[in-house]
Amino acid sequence: MGITASPQRHPKSGIYYFRMGVPKDLRSTIGKREFKASLGTTNLSEAKRLHSEHYQQALHKIELAKLKLTGEANVALNYKDCVIIAERWYEYSKVKADNSKGHNYHLVKTFNNGLKDTINAKGKITTEVVRYETDFGLSDTLSISGKDLDSASEQQLNELAEDLKDEIDTQLKREDIVLPFPSASYRQLAVAFYPYLIKLEQLCRARYKNDYGYEPVEIKVAKEPLSFEISPRTPVYSKITNVSKDSLSTVSKEFFKSEKIKHKGSLSRVKTLNETTLKVDRFIEIIGDKNIADISRSDVMAFRDTLLQLPKSKNKSIRSKPIEDQINLVKTESLDTISASTVKNSLRQLSTVFSYAVDLELISKNPVFGVKVSTSLRKTEVEEGKGYTDKEIERLFTTECF
């Protein structure tokens, strides 16, 4: 296993980083060949302290991977633990759904053809083909429904657990929990996840209709502690609200610092960086201050789509409102929205921060690349609501054709 005894310094930025190889037999389980992370500092003493923390976390992940290979659990779950984990999954998924208008995240919109009979005034029946809209979600594929859970056999619950395995495993990974499948605890988790899946799909349908007031679940137990403690690392669930060392805000600050040094205080560059700071802050406001490695192209697309729905107004009383309220104001007060060219410029400035992260090898590719904004507008002879002036009419009727 390749382990760096001390932090390594990046030749361009001077920022130290942690690097450690993953054992070959665990690479497929962990999903990478090595652990690598920016330590977010140019100070060697601070870097050494942070390096030790990352080393302990890497060892912890290796131990979890070994447990997965052997089929052993690292905790014993009671039923309340299962409900807490399920509600945490719902809360995390709700944030994603709110940022992607629901259906784009968890439900698929489909169109089907059907037959419709109509009766005319003479009583004659005619049949026509009609096209209707529906949605399709994970609950439509489950092998068992909620009303059957209480009387379900062990085999049926194993089938439900397999249907929900991707969702359960994703949250278990966030919690640093290892559970063998199938097992009694895994079946218990599947039962706890089921009602939250149904509620999440209800929420997605509401968000698709721009109903951001509907909340099918009151978050209560998600913030409660589990009955056990996992060390040396807190559950990844805290990343929703806490800032990590490789968060977008942290990386962007290092980028701004590096650029100011590189351009030696150039006023034009400082002005551009200040504008980029505003774009990063807006991204964090909409998507969240996620670890930069967790930001995907779909996050950038959700950011783009949200910007296109926001009001153009710079009025502080409007800009200080929650994003959902700003979008609703556009509809209720017919406000102008941010132009496509402005959104395109926002993505261009945001992209420079991600390119910096690629240079640091924090991410393998820039998630902004490939995200397009259509800036083509339909041209009309006369702008809507704008007529000719008296002088324009006079000039029009003095031409030779008249």
Side-chain angles (χ1 to χ4, degrees):
M1 183 193 308
I3 303 174
T4 54
S6 60
Q8 293 188 356
R9 186 173 180 272
H10 194 276
K12 289 185 179 180
S13 66
I15 297 174
Y16 289 95
Y17 62 95
F18 167 79
R19 191 171 186 176
M20 174 177 171
V22 174
K24 287 184 179 180
D25 59 330
L26 299 177
R27 287 175 183 173
S28 60
T29 304
I30 293 177
K32 59 177 73 175
R33 296 175 61 85
E34 65 176 358
F35 299 106
K36 189 172 184 180
S38 169
L39 299 177
T41 181
T42 56
N43 182 286
L44 180 58
S45 298
E46 177 69 5
K48 286 181 177 179
R49 182 185 67 80
L50 296 172
H51 184 276
S52 176
E53 293 178 7
H54 278 268
Y55 176 63
Q56 293 301 322
Q57 291 175 11
L59 290 180
H60 180 58
K61 289 182 178 180
I62 287 173
E63 289 305 312
L64 291 179
K66 289 178 179 178
L67 286 172
K68 287 181 181 179
L69 284 181
T70 58
E72 298 177 43
N74 66 335
V75 296
L77 299 180
N78 59 38
Y79 189 71
K80 185 177 180 181
D81 290 329
C82 293
V83 175
I84 290 173
I85 292 169
E87 191 166 287
R88 289 179 180 182
W89 169 81
Y90 171 85
E91 185 174 22
Y92 189 93
S93 301
K94 175 187 177 299
V95 173
K96 296 284 287 184
D98 282 344
N99 289 330
S100 58
K101 208 178 177 183
H103 273 74
N104 296 337
Y105 170 64
H106 205 76
L107 293 177
V108 177
K109 206 70 177 170
T110 60
F111 295 90
N112 298 298
N113 292 329
L115 299 178
K116 180 181 179 182
D117 292 334
T118 56
I119 304 175
N120 61 21
K122 296 181 179 180
K124 184 178 179 181
I125 300 175
T126 58
T127 302
E128 59 178 336
V129 177
V130 294
R131 188 172 172 80
Y132 60 93
E133 185 181 76
T134 186
D135 50 48
F136 184 81
L138 178 59
S139 64
D140 296 304
T141 68
L142 299 181
S143 53
I144 188 173
S145 62
K147 62 183 180 181
D148 301 320
L149 290 180
D150 291 339
S151 59
S153 65
E154 181 177 310
Q155 178 60 34
Q156 288 175 313
L157 291 179
N158 279 336
E159 290 174 3
L160 175 66
E162 188 169 8
D163 292 337
L164 299 177
K165 194 171 188 300
D166 287 344
E167 281 67 29
I168 294 174
D169 284 350
T170 298
Q171 188 60 33
L172 289 178
K173 185 176 180 181
R174 294 189 188 111
E175 305 284 351
D176 278 352
I177 293 174
V178 176
L179 285 181
F181 172 84
S183 65
S185 291
Y186 212 102
R187 289 190 292 272
Q188 208 168 22
L189 264 178
V191 173
F193 263 67
Y194 179 85
Y196 286 102
L197 171 68
I198 301 301
K199 295 296 184 183
L200 180 63
E201 292 183 356
Q202 291 173 1
L203 176 116
C204 288
R205 292 185 181 95
R207 297 298 184 262
Y208 183 74
K209 297 174 182 176
N210 290 321
D211 181 358
Y212 284 86
Y214 177 68
E215 296 294 344
V217 174
E218 181 183 355
I219 303 299
K220 290 183 178 179
V221 299
K223 294 176 175 58
E224 293 186 22
L226 297 168
S227 64
F228 51 86
E229 205 169 298
I230 298 177
S231 60
R233 183 175 169 225
T234 54
V236 182
Y237 168 73
S238 61
K239 284 185 180 179
I240 297 175
T241 53
N242 295 344
V243 178
S244 69
K245 294 183 180 66
D246 289 333
S247 66
L248 177 57
S249 62
T250 303
V251 175
S252 63
K253 285 176 184 176
E254 294 299 331
F255 166 68
F256 299 142
K257 188 189 302 182
S258 174
E259 286 295 294
K260 287 175 181 177
I261 294 172
K262 189 188 303 181
H263 294 276
K264 299 179 180 178
S266 166
L267 292 178
S268 61
R269 185 55 180 158
V270 169
K271 182 180 178 182
T272 302
L273 290 174
N274 288 339
E275 292 174 355
T276 304
T277 300
L278 296 176
K279 305 304 184 294
V280 171
D281 289 345
R282 178 54 71 92
F283 185 92
I284 291 172
E285 180 186 5
I286 294 172
I287 303 300
D289 196 10
K290 301 171 67 172
N291 187 301
I292 199 161
D294 294 333
I295 297 174
S296 62
R297 182 181 293 182
S298 63
D299 289 324
V300 179
M301 292 172 67
F303 173 63
R304 175 202 63 189
D305 294 344
T306 302
L307 286 184
L308 290 169
Q309 299 176 71
L310 292 176
K312 184 179 180 181
S313 173
K314 294 182 180 180
N315 189 313
K316 286 186 179 179
S317 63
I318 294 178
R319 292 292 293 272
S320 61
K321 292 180 180 294
I323 296 297
E324 294 83 359
D325 292 349
Q326 292 184 45
I327 293 175
N328 288 333
L329 274 177
V330 169
K331 297 171 183 175
T332 58
E333 300 187 15
S334 300
L335 300 178
D336 290 334
T337 55
I338 297 174
S339 68
S341 58
T342 299
V343 174
K344 189 173 183 179
N345 184 54
S346 296
L347 294 184
R348 187 184 300 116
Q349 290 179 318
L350 187 66
S351 179
T352 60
V353 178
F354 287 105
S355 292
Y356 173 76
V358 172
D359 289 341
L360 292 182
E361 297 182 342
L362 297 177
I363 55 178
S364 59
K365 59 183 179 180
N366 188 331
V368 181
F369 289 172
V371 178
K372 298 180 180 180
V373 182
S374 176
T375 55
S376 59
L377 298 175
R378 184 173 58 88
K379 294 182 178 180
T380 58
E381 269 188 278
V382 183
E383 291 183 18
E384 185 179 354
K386 181 181 178 182
Y388 290 107
T389 64
D390 292 339
K391 287 186 178 179
E392 287 173 335
I393 294 173
E394 183 180 348
R395 204 163 47 240
L396 178 65
F397 284 97
T398 54
T399 58
E400 291 183 4
C401 63
F402 289 99

